């Protein structure tokens, strides 16, 4: 029998909701998290996700400028 509450997803059923979350999880999987508290892992996850979102925005802006260069 499962200890999960109704409506809760088990860990193996949980899937990333978007590309930012998936990349943040992938990034954390490559990190040495030994000795990290759950709070530190959450902080690292949120920081990684924020950096990933910013990089996607930066890359999008670069591509937009390549397609529509500003007049000199």
């Amino acid at each position: 029998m499962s200890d999960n509450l109704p409506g809760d997803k088990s860990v193996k059923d949980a899937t990333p909701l978007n590309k930012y979350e998936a990349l943040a999880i992938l990034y954390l999987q490559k990190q040495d998290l030994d000795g990290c508290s759950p709070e530190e892992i959450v902080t690292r996850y949120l920081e990684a996700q924020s950096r990933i979102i910013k990089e996607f925005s930066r890359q999008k802006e670069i591509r937009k400028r390549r397609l529509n260069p500003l007049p000199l």
Side-chain angles (χ1 to χ4, degrees), residues 30-54:
K30 301 297 182 182
Q31 302 300 305
D32 179 18
L33 299 176
D34 292 340
C36 287
S37 70
E39 294 82 5
E40 290 172 313
I41 293 172
V42 169
T43 299
R44 287 184 182 201
Y45 170 80
L46 293 173
E47 288 173 354
Q49 187 178 16
S50 176
R51 290 172 48 200
I52 289 165
I53 290 169
K54 286 178 186 175

Side-chain angles (χ1 to χ4, degrees), residues 18-67:
N18 60 45
K19 62 187 173 190
Y20 310 118
E21 293 171 343
L23 287 170
I25 290 169
L26 180 63
Y27 177 78
L28 285 181
Q29 287 177 341
K30 301 297 182 182
Q31 302 300 305
D32 179 18
L33 299 176
D34 292 340
C36 287
S37 70
E39 294 82 5
E40 290 172 313
I41 293 172
V42 169
T43 299
R44 287 184 182 201
Y45 170 80
L46 293 173
E47 288 173 354
Q49 187 178 16
S50 176
R51 290 172 48 200
I52 289 165
I53 290 169
K54 286 178 186 175
E55 182 60 20
F56 265 95
S57 293
R58 190 180 78 78
Q59 292 290 330
K60 184 177 180 179
E61 186 63 32
I62 289 170
R63 285 191 307 274
K64 187 172 27 171
R65 286 186 183 166
R66 274 192 210 137
L67 294 175

